[in-house]
Structures are given as structure tokens and as C-alpha cells.
Amino acid sequence: MPLQSFLVALLMLPSDTMQPQRDLRGLWLLLLTLFLLLFEASRAGRPMVSCPAACLCASNILSCSKQQLPSVPQALPSYTALLDLSHNNLSRLRAEWTPTRLTHLHTLLLSHNRLNFISSEAFSPVPSLRYLDLSSNQLHTLDESLFSELQVLEVLLLYNNRIAEVDRSAFEDMGQLQKLYLSQNQITRFPLELVKEGTAPSKLTLLDLSSNKLNMLPLPDLQKLPAWIKNGLYLHNNPLKCDCGLYQLFSHWQYRQLSSVTDFHEDLYCKDSKKLYSVFNLSFLNCNEYKEQATEAHLGDRLTIQCDTKQQGMTKVWVTPNNERVLSEVANGTASMSPEGNLVLHHVQVEDGGVYTCYATGEAFNETLSVEIRVHNFTLHGHHETLNTAYTTLVGCILSVVLVLIYLYLTPCRCWCRGGDKPSSHQGDSLSSSMLSTTPNHDPMAGGDKDDGFDRRVAFLEPAGPGQGQNGKLKPGNTLPVPDVTGKGQRRMSDPESVSSVFSDTPIVV
């Protein structure tokens, strides 16, 4: 400590010393004081950089706004925590825009400039940045890995630019990003990678895509998003194509009272044939009215129901249809609550059906959700077996009908077809009307003299006309063989008169 001892010695000089000595002592005091200040500043690690001439400095805040600056001032103190460069004439943000590494900088304001180019290495000198405002500039594209260096950034403002293309990897490695404003641009593709699980920033709660040129939305993917993401997904003032799926999507969001719909209800419209319609009034499409669907389950299923709240980190409590609180472990029933706050039903039974209620409490607000569970009184596997049995029965019935039709209409040929010989016509025993024969047509005298020689025939005779005294008359030239009782031949019965017809429904054995 020689400098401090020397300073003390100078102070202890006698008061009656000559005037030149007093002047010398004052000069030494001034020089030593300045030296000590420089020494302490260097030991604290703060280079003595004065406030830039075009800026106003207040402690660690530098305001260089509205100075018509064409470039960033080079002499920036390393301890700067907030840097305001808005409302200037900056056009490019290069990698070397600041020679000093600003490790303490957490807020950078660059809005209302003329920025049309940003280097992919421009944010390397500011690794601790948490708030970045690039709104109201002239950016056209967001290139690959443009913001990958900002791993702790929480808020990014890019609205009111000319952005038409967003690279799918532009926001990679931004694990702490919570709010992203992309409204009032020319974006035509919905950046699904920003909300889809696995690629989206895990803490993103607000994504503003309003006032762009979106005309199609990935509706199935948006329907699967948790409520805390949909609550901050703003899509109003886009020329969306009118569709019943779009109506169902926003009707569900309105039913859940999500802020993205309730705050901008009048600005949610769609376009059809160059006309604008409210997404909640698409009567010309005959869309089905929105109804909250019940969750369906089958006997023996394991069912997990999420308490889909509009805010993360809320404390959740489930209540059964019998107003019993669901515990973390399964007690007498089948319901339990997982550590994440989800309702879990083990081996679902019919009596487990009903409306379950989730009460969620948070710092900003409380929320109550109701979920209806409908249990079918059969197992899912058994249901398929029932379908298989019904199908088999139907096929069996069809086959039975086909077999009956084959039997009725495709009867095998009579004996003369199998024998190859047409029955002889010299007998003259054919009737002009319908006749059914049960025995082959042969000569009764060719055989023996016993009953084997009888020729049995069945004829169906039509009713005779009035005034006739017999069942019917045979046509001339036709004979009806009658067995001889004595076995000595046969006699022919004929009638010279014409016979009209024979009975068709009364069999006569002759």
C-alpha cells in the first residue's frame, strides 16, 4: 500500500508550509485520486467506456432512439442491460454489429428501422437476450437457424414486416420462447412446427398469426392441441377457406371460451366465392351444429382423460359423478389421478359412466371442466365376435336360399334323359295338358303277366264344362291305358268326341 501511505503523508504536512508546496500537494492529490479510480474500475472488470454521443445513458440503460442512425454505435459499454435502437435508419444487422460482447444485455429494441437483412451470427454477442423487438421493419424471410443462438429468449416481436417465408428450422433450440408475434405479414403456410409436439418450443403460450395470408389450416392437428396452446393461437383476419371443419374448430374454441376466439370474435371470418362470412355463421354449407362429444369406452378398457386447462401448472382435482374426490391411488373404485393431473380409469365398468368434473386453480384464474364418459356394455373384442357371428349367419342364409333355388329349378333329368331314348309314341299315352309320371313309360305286355305289367300314371284333369257326366274327355287319338283286372291285356278307352282338357289339380291313378 505505498500509494495510500504517500497520500496520508501528504495530508499530514504542516499547515505553515510555503504556498508552492501547497499547490504541489493539491496536484498530487488530484493525480492520485484519478489513479485510484482507474485502478478500482479495472479491478471490477469494467472498461471505462463513455456513453455514445448519440445516446442517453442511465445506469445500464442506453437509449439511442430517433437519432437517424445508419449503423449501430461502436462504443457500447459491456455492462449494458437494455439497448434501444428503435426509430433509426438501420438496414443490415451484421455479425460484427458490436465489437464488444454484451453478456449482460437482456433487452434489444430494433423496431421501426429499415432492416432487410440479419446475419445468422448477429445474435452471438448477446447470448443472454430475453426480449427482442424486430417489428416494423422490411424483413422478407426468416432463414434457417436464424435465432438458434438465442436459447434463453422469451419474447420475440416480428409483426408488421414483409415476411412471406419462414424456414422450418428458424426457431430451433429456442426452448425458453414463450411469446412469438408474427402478425401483419404475408405468411401463407401455417408453421405447424411451432405448435406440434416434439418440434414446438415447450413453453410457447402465445403465437400470433393474425392478419396474414393463410387460407388453409391443418385442422386435425389443431384439434389435438392442448387448450393452453389454443388459448394463445390467434388466427383472425386471415382469408381462410370456408369449411365445416373450420366451423367445428372455432365453435369448440368458443365453447371453451378461449381468448383467441372471444377477444377477436368479430374478426374471425372465412372466404367463399370472393365473399366474406363469419366462421360462426356458415348456414349456406349446412354444417352440423357443434355439440361437445362424450368420451366412449368399452368394458375392461383403461381410459385416460386430460384436464385440458387454458393455463399450464394449475392445481387439479377430479370429482366422480357421485361427487367423490378422485385420489392419487386406486381405492375401492377404478378411478385414480396421475401425477400430471389426468383422470385414469382402470378396467372400466358400466357403472363408471357419467360426468366427471375437473377443478383447476391457478395464479391468474380458476377453471372448471366437465367430461362425459359413456361406457358400452360389451368388450371391444366381444363386439367384433358378435359382428363375425352375424356375418357368418348371413352368409349361411344366402347359401341356403341358393341351394333351394338350385333344387327347385335345376331338377335332374328323367329316365329318358339318362337312357338316351325318347319314350315311344306308339302308345299314344301323352296328354296335351300337364302330366306327371312316376314310372318309366314302357309296354305293359312286355313283362310278365303279374302286377309288374301295370302302367301307373297320374294325370291332372281340369274341371269339365257344365252338362258333362264325366270328369273330362280325352282328345281324339289319345288313349288312357287301363289295367286289365284279369291280366289278359288292356283295353283302350277313347271317346270320339273332343275332350277339352284334363284336371290340373286332381291326381287320378290309372
Side-chain angles (χ1 to χ4, degrees):
M1 305 287 292
L3 292 176
Q4 295 181 0
S5 301
F6 179 72
L7 180 60
V8 172
L10 287 176
L11 294 174
M12 295 180 64
L13 289 174
S15 58
D16 56 351
T17 311
M18 298 176 61
Q19 184 66 29
Q21 293 179 346
R22 291 179 181 179
D23 295 339
L24 182 62
R25 183 177 63 179
L27 179 61
W28 276 106
L29 286 174
L30 179 61
L31 293 175
L32 288 176
T33 303
L34 180 61
F35 179 79
L36 290 175
L37 289 175
L38 292 174
F39 177 77
E40 293 295 332
S42 62
R43 191 172 64 174
R46 290 187 176 184
M48 292 300 295
V49 179
S50 61
C51 182
C55 303
L56 295 177
C57 301
S59 183
N60 56 358
I61 299 176
L62 271 71
S63 177
C64 309
S65 178
K66 299 180 180 180
Q67 299 297 318
Q68 303 297 319
L69 298 175
S71 60
V72 179
Q74 294 298 304
L76 295 177
S78 61
Y79 55 82
T80 303
L82 188 152
L83 178 59
D84 185 2
L85 292 168
S86 62
H87 296 275
N88 282 291
N89 293 327
L90 305 179
S91 60
R92 303 175 71 85
L93 195 64
R94 302 180 182 275
E96 63 277 2
W97 64 276
T98 172
T100 307
R101 187 173 175 84
L102 306 176
T103 57
H104 300 280
L105 187 67
H106 59 73
T107 302
L108 178 59
L109 308 178
L110 289 165
S111 63
H112 294 91
N113 279 278
R114 299 178 182 179
L115 289 174
N116 54 50
F117 171 79
I118 298 179
S119 172
S120 59
E121 300 177 356
F123 302 108
S124 297
V126 287
S128 303
L129 202 62
R130 297 197 301 270
Y131 187 98
L132 175 59
D133 187 359
L134 291 168
S135 62
S136 300
N137 279 284
Q138 300 177 10
L139 299 174
H140 290 80
T141 61
L142 300 180
D143 297 328
E144 179 181 1
S145 303
L146 179 60
F147 304 103
S148 60
E149 298 286 344
L150 303 175
Q151 299 183 5
V152 297
L153 190 70
E154 299 175 357
V155 180
L156 177 56
L157 286 73
L158 287 164
Y159 63 86
N160 194 26
N161 275 273
R162 302 176 184 176
I163 301 172
E165 183 178 352
V166 180
D167 190 87
R168 298 181 185 274
S169 63
F171 304 98
E172 280 187 351
D173 301 325
M174 300 185 71
Q176 302 298 318
L177 186 63
Q178 300 176 13
K179 298 180 180 181
L180 176 58
Y181 297 85
L182 287 167
S183 62
Q184 301 179 40
N185 282 287
Q186 301 176 14
I187 300 174
T188 58
R189 181 190 69 86
F190 182 87
L192 187 61
E193 64 275 4
L194 288 174
V195 295
K196 192 174 183 179
E197 185 178 2
T199 59
S202 58
K203 296 184 178 181
L204 186 65
T205 59
L206 189 148
L207 175 59
D208 187 1
L209 289 167
S210 62
S211 301
N212 276 280
K213 294 185 177 181
L214 299 174
N215 52 33
M216 296 293 292
L217 296 177
L219 299 179
D221 295 292
L222 296 183
Q223 291 172 350
K224 299 176 183 178
L225 295 177
W228 60 268
I229 292 181
K230 294 185 288 189
N231 188 61
L233 181 56
Y234 293 89
L235 297 168
H236 56 278
N237 286 330
N238 275 287
L240 300 171
K241 182 180 179 180
C242 292
D243 182 78
C244 287
L246 188 70
Y247 163 76
Q248 295 288 336
L249 176 73
F250 287 116
S251 296
H252 171 65
W253 292 14
Q254 185 181 32
Y255 173 82
R256 288 294 313 275
Q257 293 294 299
L258 301 181
S259 299
S260 55
V261 171
T262 58
D263 294 348
F264 298 94
H265 185 275
E266 301 297 330
D267 296 325
L268 279 167
Y269 58 83
C270 60
K271 193 174 183 179
D272 185 82
S273 300
K274 298 183 179 180
K275 293 183 179 180
L276 299 180
Y277 300 90
S278 170
V279 296
F280 304 104
N281 185 17
L282 301 180
S283 56
F284 68 96
L285 292 178
N286 295 323
C287 299
N288 295 328
E289 185 179 356
Y290 174 77
K291 292 182 180 179
E292 192 73 10
Q293 299 294 327
T295 301
E296 298 186 356
H298 301 83
L299 292 179
D301 287 352
R302 187 179 189 273
L303 193 62
T304 301
I305 305 295
Q306 293 183 350
C307 186
D308 196 13
T309 58
K310 295 185 290 185
Q311 182 181 352
Q312 285 183 300
M314 302 184 74
T315 303
K316 304 169 184 177
V317 175
W318 282 95
V319 176
T320 66
N322 298 326
N323 292 325
E324 297 179 356
R325 180 173 176 175
V326 178
L327 303 178
S328 300
E329 297 180 358
V330 179
N332 297 329
T334 60
S336 66
M337 189 176 69
S338 67
E340 297 80 14
N342 299 329
L343 174 67
V344 182
L345 297 178
H346 310 266
H347 303 289
V348 175
Q349 301 299 320
V350 176
E351 54 271 18
D352 293 329
V355 178
Y356 290 78
T357 305
C358 174
Y359 297 97
T361 58
E363 297 179 357
F365 58 89
N366 299 333
E367 191 174 359
T368 301
L369 299 176
S370 297
V371 179
E372 181 182 0
I373 298 178
R374 187 178 303 159
V375 181
H376 297 285
N377 194 15
F378 55 84
T379 61
L380 187 59
H381 180 69
H383 182 57
H384 287 301
E385 287 185 347
T386 303
L387 289 177
N388 292 335
T389 304
Y391 177 75
T392 305
T393 304
L394 179 61
V395 173
C397 292
I398 295 175
L399 290 177
S400 300
V401 172
V402 172
L403 291 176
V404 170
L405 293 176
I406 292 175
Y407 176 76
L408 292 177
Y409 293 98
L410 298 179
T411 307
C413 295
R414 300 302 178 188
C415 56
W416 57 76
C417 296
R418 294 192 299 268
D421 296 328
K422 191 176 181 180
S424 60
S425 60
H426 75 278
Q427 300 278 345
D429 55 355
S430 62
L431 299 176
S432 61
S433 61
S434 301
M435 182 172 64
L436 177 63
S437 175
T438 60
T439 60
N441 188 14
H442 63 279
D443 189 357
M445 302 303 297
D449 56 353
K450 297 185 179 181
D451 293 342
D452 295 340
F454 290 174
D455 190 2
R456 299 177 181 269
R457 301 177 184 275
V458 179
F460 295 90
L461 305 179
E462 297 180 358
Q468 294 182 355
Q470 55 183 351
N471 292 337
K473 297 181 180 181
L474 296 175
K475 291 183 179 180
N478 290 335
T479 61
L480 181 64
V482 180
D484 190 358
V485 185
T486 60
K488 294 181 180 181
Q490 66 180 13
R491 61 185 179 91
R492 295 180 181 271
M493 297 180 61
S494 63
D495 192 336
E497 299 177 6
S498 63
V499 180
S500 62
S501 62
V502 293
F503 281 100
S504 61
D505 58 350
T506 306
I508 299 177
V509 179
V510 292

